[in-house]
Amino acid sequence: KYKKDKYFFEKENNKFIINSRDDVVLYKRIYSIKKIPVKFGTILGDFYCYNLGLETLENCPHTVQGDFNCSDNNLISLKHGPKFVKKSYVCYNNKLITLKGACENTIDYFNCSKNKLITLEGCPKNILSTLFAQDNPSLESFNIPYASIYGNIYVSNSPKISLKGMPKLAGILNFEENTIRSLAQLNECNFEYGFTHRVKNENEKIKELEFLYHIKDDKWELKFFDKNLYNKTVKTAKSKFLLEQK
């Protein structure tokens, strides 16, 4: 829909580029589209292009001063996506195998859940709130030691995940329903607050585990949630902490 004074245009290489002073929401009428049919430039509000059937982000704006949402498409790459997003970047439920092409500036939060990622390499370097990366069945490692997450990280239901390449983290790491066999790498992680992990184990003695790290006394706390071991707590110094599930 066209609103007076909402859009302003510029010409580049004999092609018109659409800019907007407000939000832009692209709707799917009847048929899916593989790419956005017109070129956008600068969006001073939000830009939504979700659930369109997109296979590429070609013609996306280069700057979004609000939220960017390209969820529920058929994207395998974020190439051609915006280089700057001020608030949140959401690429949930696509077919992404890499995050390369995502914006590199500081953003509020980033959601790349329900994709086919192997690592999180390429995600923004600074995330002020939460990094959501759940339900990535092929996810093997973080591989983002350069990044700083000032909120929490969620990588639950990503059964192949290891802790390799963890970013700096000010909040909580949540990797529930995974099958991590060793927490030794946690000694190399840069936590400022703590982490939680709940895992279903085939071992009859221990059904579920939850791990908590307390920064104040530099202690690891391991809580067993089991009818025989309920409320039992084991504490050990961070430098000596090692747990192997066999």
Side-chain angles (χ1 to χ4, degrees):
K1 293 183 178 180
Y2 179 81
K3 284 185 179 181
K4 187 178 180 180
D5 297 329
K6 175 178 178 178
Y7 300 103
F8 54 103
F9 303 88
E10 59 181 304
K11 196 172 183 180
E12 183 179 287
N13 298 326
N14 295 321
K15 293 183 179 180
F16 281 102
I17 298 176
I18 303 173
N19 305 295
S20 174
R21 297 181 177 89
D22 204 346
D23 301 339
V24 173
V25 182
L26 304 182
Y27 295 100
K28 179 173 67 175
R29 296 299 184 183
I30 300 176
Y31 302 105
S32 297
I33 57 175
K34 293 184 178 181
K35 77 173 185 177
I36 297 170
V38 292
K39 176 64 177 175
F40 289 89
T42 298
I43 308 298
L44 300 183
D46 303 330
F47 189 86
Y48 296 106
C49 55
Y50 55 82
N51 195 28
L52 296 175
L54 296 178
E55 296 180 3
T56 175
L57 291 179
E58 188 176 351
N59 289 333
C60 271
H62 56 73
T63 300
V64 178
Q65 293 290 347
D67 300 324
F68 175 74
N69 191 323
C70 60
S71 298
D72 300 306
N73 284 299
N74 298 312
L75 301 170
I76 61 172
S77 168
L78 297 176
K79 185 179 179 181
H80 304 300
K83 299 301 181 184
F84 177 89
V85 175
K86 186 173 184 179
K87 294 184 178 179
S88 65
Y89 194 118
V90 182
C91 48
Y92 171 94
N93 196 27
N94 277 285
K95 299 177 181 179
L96 296 173
I97 57 176
T98 178
L99 294 177
K100 292 180 180 180
C103 64
E104 297 183 358
N105 62 284
T106 299
I107 62 171
D108 285 350
Y109 75 87
F110 188 81
N111 190 337
C112 58
S113 300
K114 286 198 172 183
N115 280 289
K116 298 181 179 181
L117 298 169
I118 297 175
T119 77
L120 299 181
E121 184 178 3
C123 85
K125 295 180 180 179
N126 293 286
I127 299 175
L128 298 179
S129 180
T130 303
L131 168 59
F132 294 97
Q134 308 102 304
D135 300 299
N136 276 285
S138 300
L139 190 62
E140 296 177 357
S141 66
F142 289 88
N143 205 25
I144 49 172
Y146 58 83
S148 295
I149 314 299
Y150 295 94
N152 303 328
I153 297 178
Y154 292 86
V155 287
S156 53
N157 294 314
S158 300
K160 296 182 180 180
I161 187 70
S162 75
L163 300 176
K164 183 179 179 181
M166 274 284 300
K168 294 179 181 178
L169 178 63
I172 290 176
L173 169 63
N174 183 313
F175 49 109
E176 296 182 358
E177 306 299 337
N178 290 331
T179 54
I180 290 179
R181 292 184 175 275
S182 174
L183 299 180
Q185 291 170 305
L186 286 173
N187 286 331
E188 303 172 6
C189 297
N190 193 348
F191 288 104
E192 293 185 25
Y193 182 71
F195 73 99
T196 66
H197 175 36
R198 189 182 293 268
V199 58
K200 290 185 177 179
N201 195 332
E202 293 181 357
N203 187 330
E204 289 299 322
K205 293 183 178 179
I206 304 176
K207 294 294 186 182
E208 293 186 350
L209 304 176
E210 183 173 347
F211 310 94
L212 300 172
Y213 171 58
H214 300 279
I215 189 68
K216 291 182 179 179
D217 56 7
D218 198 33
K219 297 288 186 180
W220 293 104
E221 180 177 324
L222 172 57
K223 292 183 178 179
F224 296 85
F225 290 84
D226 179 85
K227 62 182 180 180
N228 296 321
L229 300 171
Y230 189 72
N231 278 338
K232 181 178 180 181
T233 300
V234 177
K235 291 186 177 181
T236 178
K238 176 183 176 183
S239 61
K240 297 180 180 179
F241 184 82
L242 173 64
L243 173 70
E244 292 284 345
Q245 289 176 242
K246 297 180 180 180

